[in-house]
C-alpha cells in the first residue's frame, strides 16, 4: 500500500487533491455519460478552466460596504425565492410577534414607577391589585420571550435548509463540481456548506428581527421621552447613539476580516484531522504518526494564533459596545436631572416625583437600549459579513464556471467513440500530452491505453469525458442514453444499501432502473462479491429489512470492503448498467491477476466494449487494439 504523493504537499494542494479524489458528476441528460471523476494521474492540479479568476475572487473583500450589501441582498433573494416566500412570511410573523411582545414589555416596564407611587403614598388598597397585575404581566413577558426564541430558532432552521439546498444545487452540479473541486477558486467548499451556512442562518435569525423592529420602537420611545424630559432627552440619546455608532464602525472591519481568516484556518485544521482518519492504515504502515502529529499540531497552532488575533480585535469592538450599553443608565439620570433642577416638577409630591423619575429612567433607558441593541448587533453583523462573504463567494465561483464551461464533446448516432485530430494539453502550462489522435471505436473494438506515468493517459480520459476541453480536434461519443460509463481507479463508495451501491448513481440519462434481488445476486457473483450480503448481516440494525436494502454508512462500507472489493463493486455497477462502452482508468489495479481476468471476462460476456488504461501485460488479451502514449506527445496505435 502506498501513501499518496501529496502526503507531503502544502495544505492548499491537499484541499484540491482531497475533493478531486471523491468528486462525482451526475448526468442530467441522455447525452451525458455516467461519470465518477477520477483521481489525478499526476500530482498536478491542472484543470481545463482559464487561470483567470472571477473579479470578486481576485482578493478577499472584508469591508462593510456596497459589496457586502450586494451579497447580503443576494442571500435574501435566494432565501425568499427558494423557500416559496415562506421565509418572508416567517419574518413577518416573527416581526408581529416581537412587536406584540414589546407591548407586553412596555407594560412590564411601567410597573416599577407604579410601585414607587403606591409605596410612596402608602396605598395598601392599590398594592395587592398592582401585585397581581405585576405577576400576570411578568409571566406573560417571560412566555413571549421564550416563544420569540423558539420562532427565531425555527426561522434559522428554515433559512439553513433553504440556503444549503440552493448551495448544493449550485455546487454539486455537472458544470461546476469538478472546477470548484480542482481549480482552487475557493477554499474549503465543504466547510462553507456545512458550517458557514449554519452560523449565518442562526445569526441572521437573531439580528434580523431586532434591526427590522428598531425604527418603530425608536420613534415610539422618542415621543415618550420627549413628553417626560423635553427635547433635551431624545436629543441627548441621539447624540449618544451617533458617537457609539461611529466608534463601532471603526472597530468592526478588522473583526470581519479575522472571522473570515479563522473560518479558513478551522477548515484546514478539520481537513487534516479527516485526512489522518482516511489514510490511517497508510500512515501506520509508514510509521508516520510522529510526522502527522507535528503537522496537526502546526495546523492547530495556526488556528489558535488566528483565534487569539480575533479575540483581541473583538476586545476593542466589545469595549465600545459594552461601555456604550452600561453608560446608558448615567445618561438617563442626566436627562431627568435637568428638568428637575430647573423646577419643572417642583409641584410634585415625593411619591409622584419618584414615579416620574422611574418612568423617565425606563423610557430613556429603553430608548438607549434600543439604540445600544443596534450597536451591539455590530458584532453579530461582523460575523454575518464573514459568513456571508464565504457563502456568496462559492456562488460567485459557480456562476463564473457556468460562463466558462461549454460542451466539449459532440454526439453521434452511429454508436461509436471517435476522435479526429485530437490534441490534449495541460490547460495551465500548455504542455502537450497527446498530439493528433485519430481514433474510431465501434462496438467490440476494445482498446488498451498504455504508457509511462505522466504521459497523459488519465488526461485523455478527462477529455473524452468532457472534463477538459481538447487543445484542438474533436471528440464524439454515442448519443444513446447510458451508452458510456467511466470508472476511476479510486473506487467511490456511497452511504446506502447494497442495492444502492450497485445501482449508483440510480439514474442514467434521466432514466431509472430497479435492481431486482435476482439481478443483484447475479452481478455480485460475476464480480466475486457473493459473500458481501453475509458480511452485512451483522453490520446493520435494520434486521427487519432485506439484507440488500439495509442502510450502511460510508464509514462502514470503507471498513468492510478492501480496496480490491471496492473496485469489484465499481465493476459491478458496469455490469448492472450494461453500457455499450466502459472506459476504465486502472480500475482493477488492486485486484490479483485472476480476479482481474474474471471481471474482464464478465464484461465481455455482457457485451460491453472496454477502453482500459493499464500497465499489466495480462490485460492485452482482453483488448483487440492498443494505444501506446509516448512522453513527447506522439502515440502508437496498433
Amino acid at each position: 500500500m502506498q501513501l499518496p504523493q501529496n502526503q507531503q504537499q502544502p495544505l492548499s494542494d491537499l484541499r484540491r487533491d482531497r475533493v478531486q479524489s471523491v468528486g462525482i458528476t451526475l448526468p442530467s441528460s441522455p447525452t451525458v455519460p455516467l461519470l465518477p471523476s477520477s483521481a489525478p494521474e499526476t500530482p498536478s492540479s491542472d484543470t481545463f478552466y482559464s487561470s483567470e479568476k472571477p473579479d470578486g475572487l481576485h482578493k478577499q473583500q472584508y469591508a462593510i460596504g456596497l459589496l457586502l450589501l450586494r451579497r447580503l441582498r443576494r442571500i435574501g433573494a435566494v432565501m425568499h425565492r427558494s423557500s416559496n416566500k415562506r421565509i418572508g412570511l416567517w419574518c413577518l410573523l416573527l416581526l408581529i410577534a416581537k412587536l406584540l411582545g414589546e407591548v407586553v414589555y412596555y407594560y412590564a416596564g411601567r410597573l416599577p414607577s407604579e410601585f414607587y407611587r403606591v409605596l410612596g403614598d402608602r396605598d395598601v388598597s392599590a398594592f395587592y391589585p398592582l401585585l397581581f397585575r405585576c405577576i400576570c404581566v411578568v409571566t406573560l413577558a417571560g412566555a413571549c420571550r421564550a416563544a420569540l426564541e423558539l420562532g427565531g430558532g425555527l426561522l434559522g432552521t428554515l433559512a439553513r435548509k433553504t440556503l444549503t439546498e440552493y448551495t448544493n444545487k449550485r455546487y454539486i452540479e455537472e458544470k461546476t463540481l469538478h472546477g470548484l473541486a480542482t481549480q482552487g477558486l475557493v477554499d474549503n467548499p465543504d466547510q462553507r456548506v456545512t458550517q458557514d451556512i449554519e452560523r449565518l442562518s442562526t445569526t441572521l435569525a437573531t439580528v434580523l428581527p431586532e434591526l427590522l423592529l428598531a425604527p418603530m420602537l425608536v420613534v415610539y420611545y422618542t415621543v415618550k421621552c420627549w413628553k417626560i424630559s423635553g427635547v433635551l432627552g431624545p436629543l441627548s440619546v441621539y447624540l449618544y447613539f451617533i458617537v457609539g455608532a461611529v466608534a463601532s464602525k471603526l472597530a468592526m472591519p478588522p473583526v470581519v476580516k479575522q472571522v473570515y481568516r479563522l473560518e479558513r484556518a478551522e477548515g484546514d485544521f478539520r481537513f487534516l484531522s479527516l485526512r489522518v482518519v482516511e489514510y490511517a492504515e497508510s500512515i501506520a504502515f509508514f510509521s508516520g504518526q510522529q510526522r502527522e502529529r507535528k503537522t496537526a499540531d502546526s495546523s492547530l497552532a495556526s488556528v489558535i494564533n488566528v483565534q487569539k488575533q480575533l479575540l483581541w480585535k473583538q476586545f476593542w469592538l466589545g469595549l465600545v459596545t459594552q461601555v456604550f450599553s452600561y453608560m446608558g443608565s448615567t445618561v438617563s439620570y442626566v436627562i431627568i436631572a435637568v428638568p428637575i433642577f430647573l423646577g419643572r416638577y417642583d409641584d410634585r409630591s415625593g411619591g409622584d416625583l419618584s414615579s416620574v423619575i422611574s418612568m423617565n429612567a425606563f423610557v430613556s433607558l429603553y430608548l438607549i437600549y434600543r439604540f445600544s441593541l443596534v450597536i451591539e448587533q455590530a458584532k453579530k453583523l461582523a460575523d454575518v459579513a464573514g459568513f456571508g462573504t464565504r457563502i456568496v463567494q462559492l456562488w460567485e465561483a459557480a456562476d463564473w464556471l457556468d460562463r466558462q464551461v461549454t460542451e466539449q464533446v459532440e454526439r453521434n448516432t452511429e454508436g461509436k467513440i471517435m476522435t479526429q485530430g485530437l490534441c490534449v494539453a495541460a490547460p495551465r502550462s500548455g504542455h502537450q500530452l497527446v498530439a493528433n489522435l485519430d481514433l474510431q471505436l465501434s462496438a467490440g473494438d476494445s482498446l488498451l491505453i498504455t504508457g509511462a506515468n505522466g504521459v497523459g493517459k488519465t488526461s485523455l480520459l478527462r477529455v473524452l469525458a468532457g472534463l477538459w476541453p481538447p487543445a484542438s480536434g474533436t471528440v464524439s461519443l454515442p448519443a444513446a442514453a447510458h451508452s458510456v460509463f467511466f470508472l476511476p481507479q479510486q473506487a467511490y463508495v456511497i452511504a446506502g444499501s447494497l442495492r444502492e451501491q450497485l445501482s449508483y448513481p440510480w439514474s442514467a440519462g434521466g432514466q431509472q432502473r430497479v435492481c431486482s434481488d435476482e439481478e443483484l445476486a447475479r452481478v455480485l457473483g460475476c464480480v466475486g462479491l457473493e459473500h458481501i450480503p453475509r458480511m452485512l448481516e451483522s453490520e446493520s440494525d435494520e434486521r427487519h429489512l432485506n439484507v440488500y436494502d439495509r442502510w450502511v454508512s460510508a464509514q462502514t462500507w470503507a471498513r468492510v470492503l478492501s480496496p480490491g472489493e471496492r473496485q469489484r463493486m465499481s465493476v459491478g455497477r458496469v455490469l448492472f448498467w450494461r453500457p455499450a462502452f466502459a472506459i476504465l482508468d486502472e480500475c482493477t489495479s488492486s485486484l490479483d491477476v485472476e480476479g482481474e481476468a474474471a471481471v474482464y471476462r464478465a464484461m465481455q460476456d455482457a457485451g460491453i466494449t472496454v477502453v482500459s488504461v493499464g500497465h499489466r501485460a495480462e490485460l492485452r488479451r482482453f483488448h483487440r487494439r492498443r494505444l501506446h502514449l509516448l512522453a513527447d506527445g506522439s502515440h502508437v496505435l496498433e
Side-chain angles (χ1 to χ4, degrees):
M1 185 173 296
Q2 183 179 3
L3 196 65
Q5 296 182 26
N6 58 18
Q7 185 72 30
Q8 307 298 326
Q9 287 179 289
L11 191 58
S12 59
D13 295 333
L14 297 182
R15 286 197 302 270
R16 292 194 293 269
D17 295 339
R18 167 193 52 162
V19 189
Q20 194 173 19
S21 67
V22 297
I24 296 299
T25 302
L26 297 180
S28 60
S29 68
T31 62
V32 179
L34 297 171
L35 184 63
S37 65
S38 62
E41 180 177 304
T42 70
S44 171
S45 59
D46 288 338
T47 64
F48 68 87
Y49 307 99
S50 164
S51 60
E52 292 294 325
K53 292 186 179 182
D55 293 338
L57 299 178
H58 275 300
K59 61 181 180 179
Q60 307 298 351
Q61 301 288 341
Y62 309 104
I64 306 294
L66 293 178
L67 179 60
L68 174 62
L69 292 178
R70 286 197 298 268
R71 284 171 168 166
L72 292 180
R73 183 176 63 183
R74 181 173 181 182
I75 289 174
V78 167
M79 290 194 297
H80 183 66
R81 183 173 60 252
S82 301
S83 65
N84 295 323
K85 302 182 180 180
R86 285 183 298 165
I87 285 186
L89 180 60
W90 264 101
C91 288
L92 179 61
L93 292 176
L94 188 61
L95 189 63
I96 294 173
K98 195 164 184 63
L99 187 60
L100 294 176
E102 290 295 334
V103 174
V104 177
Y105 303 151
Y106 171 75
Y107 281 104
R110 289 176 53 119
L111 291 173
S113 64
E114 296 188 34
F115 272 111
Y116 276 121
R117 179 179 54 79
V118 170
L119 294 176
D121 295 341
R122 295 177 174 82
D123 190 352
V124 178
S125 61
F127 176 77
Y128 291 105
L130 179 59
L131 179 63
F132 176 76
R133 182 154 55 93
C134 176
I135 294 174
C136 294
V137 171
V138 170
T139 302
L140 184 58
C144 287
R145 190 168 295 277
L148 288 171
E149 289 179 357
L150 174 63
L154 293 175
L155 175 61
T157 302
L158 179 59
R160 181 185 184 184
K161 177 177 181 293
T162 302
L163 290 175
T164 304
E165 288 177 347
Y166 176 82
T167 304
N168 285 339
K169 182 179 179 181
R170 300 293 297 116
Y171 172 39
I172 311 176
E173 197 264 336
E174 179 188 340
K175 290 184 178 182
T176 57
L177 176 63
H178 187 264
L180 287 172
T182 60
Q183 194 175 359
L185 288 176
V186 294
D187 64 273
N188 298 311
D190 56 328
Q191 183 190 30
R192 297 172 190 247
V193 175
T194 58
Q195 291 187 7
D196 293 345
I197 289 180
E198 187 274 333
R199 294 176 182 177
L200 175 69
S201 302
T202 302
T203 308
L204 273 181
T206 304
V207 173
L208 196 60
E210 296 290 350
L211 294 181
L212 291 177
L213 197 60
M216 292 181 286
L217 294 178
V218 166
V219 171
Y220 178 78
Y221 283 100
T222 297
V223 174
K224 286 289 185 179
C225 185
W226 191 322
K227 290 181 178 179
I228 295 175
S229 58
V231 68
L232 181 63
L235 181 60
S236 301
V237 173
Y238 276 55
L239 290 175
Y240 183 59
F241 169 74
I242 292 173
V243 172
V246 171
S248 296
K249 178 66 172 62
L250 295 176
M252 191 188 307
V255 177
V256 177
K257 181 178 181 179
Q258 210 62 29
V259 166
Y260 186 101
R261 289 178 174 175
L262 179 61
E263 289 303 304
R264 180 169 184 167
E266 290 281 8
D268 293 343
F269 180 60
R270 187 187 67 254
F271 165 59
L272 277 178
S273 300
L274 293 174
R275 186 175 176 80
V276 169
V277 174
E278 182 179 0
Y279 292 101
E281 186 170 317
S282 298
I283 295 170
F285 274 124
F286 276 114
S287 297
Q289 292 88 345
Q290 184 175 358
R291 166 68 169 77
E292 296 302 322
R293 185 168 59 251
K294 288 182 178 179
T295 302
D297 290 344
S298 176
S299 179
L300 174 62
S302 297
V303 172
I304 297 301
N305 182 50
V306 176
Q307 194 169 24
K308 287 181 179 178
Q309 294 177 20
L310 174 61
L311 289 174
W312 276 108
K313 288 177 170 53
Q314 285 180 330
F315 166 76
W316 296 110
L317 180 59
L319 179 64
V320 172
T321 57
Q322 293 302 322
V323 168
F324 183 85
S325 298
Y326 283 103
M327 195 64 70
S329 58
T330 304
V331 174
S332 71
Y333 292 127
V334 172
I335 290 173
I336 194 59
V338 173
I340 290 177
F341 293 151
L342 291 177
R344 181 175 175 179
Y345 296 107
D346 288 348
D347 58 336
R348 299 292 182 96
S349 65
D352 287 342
L353 185 58
S354 298
S355 178
V356 170
I357 293 174
S358 175
M359 190 62 188
N360 174 79
F362 165 68
V363 172
S364 300
L365 282 175
Y366 206 82
L367 180 58
I368 293 173
Y369 166 73
R370 297 314 310 183
F371 277 127
S372 63
L373 198 60
V374 173
I375 297 296
E376 288 175 358
Q377 302 311 310
K379 187 175 180 179
K380 295 181 181 179
L381 282 176
D383 294 338
V384 169
F387 299 140
T389 295
R390 291 176 57 81
I391 295 167
V392 180
Q393 275 183 344
L394 182 62
W395 299 349
E396 290 169 348
D399 296 340
W400 182 77
L401 289 173
D402 279 342
R403 296 191 296 270
Q404 298 293 314
V405 179
T406 57
E407 182 64 36
Q408 307 296 333
V409 179
E410 299 176 358
R411 302 292 161 176
N412 66 79
T413 58
E414 302 173 19
K416 297 180 179 180
I417 295 178
M418 297 183 288
T419 66
Q420 184 174 3
L422 178 64
C423 293
V424 178
R428 289 184 179 176
S429 65
H431 173 64
Q432 184 169 270
L433 301 172
V434 181
N436 298 318
L437 176 61
D438 293 318
L439 183 65
Q440 182 170 305
L441 299 177
S442 302
D445 288 338
S446 53
L447 175 70
L448 176 62
I449 303 174
T450 60
N453 291 334
V455 298
K457 301 184 296 296
T458 297
S459 299
L460 175 59
L461 298 193
R462 290 185 182 127
V463 173
L464 293 179
L467 298 180
W468 286 10
S472 61
T474 61
V475 176
S476 180
L477 297 182
H482 55 83
S483 58
V484 181
F485 200 106
F486 288 81
L487 277 189
Q489 179 178 357
Q490 183 168 348
Y492 180 68
V493 179
I494 67 168
S497 67
L498 180 56
R499 193 186 310 276
E500 291 170 329
Q501 286 288 356
L502 281 179
S503 61
Y504 182 82
W506 306 298
S507 65
Q511 301 179 7
Q512 294 188 357
R513 282 191 58 195
V514 177
C515 186
S516 64
D517 291 355
E518 295 75 15
E519 186 174 16
L520 192 61
R522 179 188 65 79
V523 170
L524 290 174
C526 289
V527 295
L529 294 178
E530 57 274 1
H531 61 285
I532 295 299
R534 294 192 301 273
M535 293 177 58
L536 295 179
E537 286 286 350
S538 60
E539 296 294 340
S540 174
D541 296 330
E542 299 176 325
R543 303 299 175 86
H544 61 288
L545 294 179
N546 184 331
V547 68
Y548 295 144
D549 296 315
R550 296 177 184 176
W551 189 88
V552 181
S553 68
Q555 294 89 337
T556 300
W557 279 117
R559 176 171 52 81
V560 169
L561 300 179
S562 68
E565 288 174 327
R566 295 174 207 167
Q567 290 191 336
R568 291 175 185 269
M569 188 73 73
S570 294
V571 175
R573 294 169 184 166
V574 176
L575 296 176
F576 168 74
W577 285 104
R578 301 173 68 95
F581 294 91
I583 300 181
L584 317 175
D585 186 9
E586 298 188 70
C587 69
T588 57
S589 59
S590 297
L591 303 182
D592 58 75
V593 174
E594 293 182 359
E596 186 176 58
V599 296
Y600 266 92
R601 281 194 295 268
M603 287 187 284
Q604 283 184 337
D605 294 342
I608 299 171
T609 302
V610 294
V611 177
S612 306
V613 170
H615 295 281
R616 292 177 180 172
E618 290 82 2
L619 286 176
R620 295 187 182 181
R621 60 188 170 126
F622 298 105
H623 300 82
R624 294 181 56 185
R625 306 173 67 182
R626 175 171 174 252
L627 173 65
H628 186 70
L629 303 182
L630 302 174
D632 61 359
S634 61
H635 59 273
V636 178
L637 182 60
E638 303 171 354

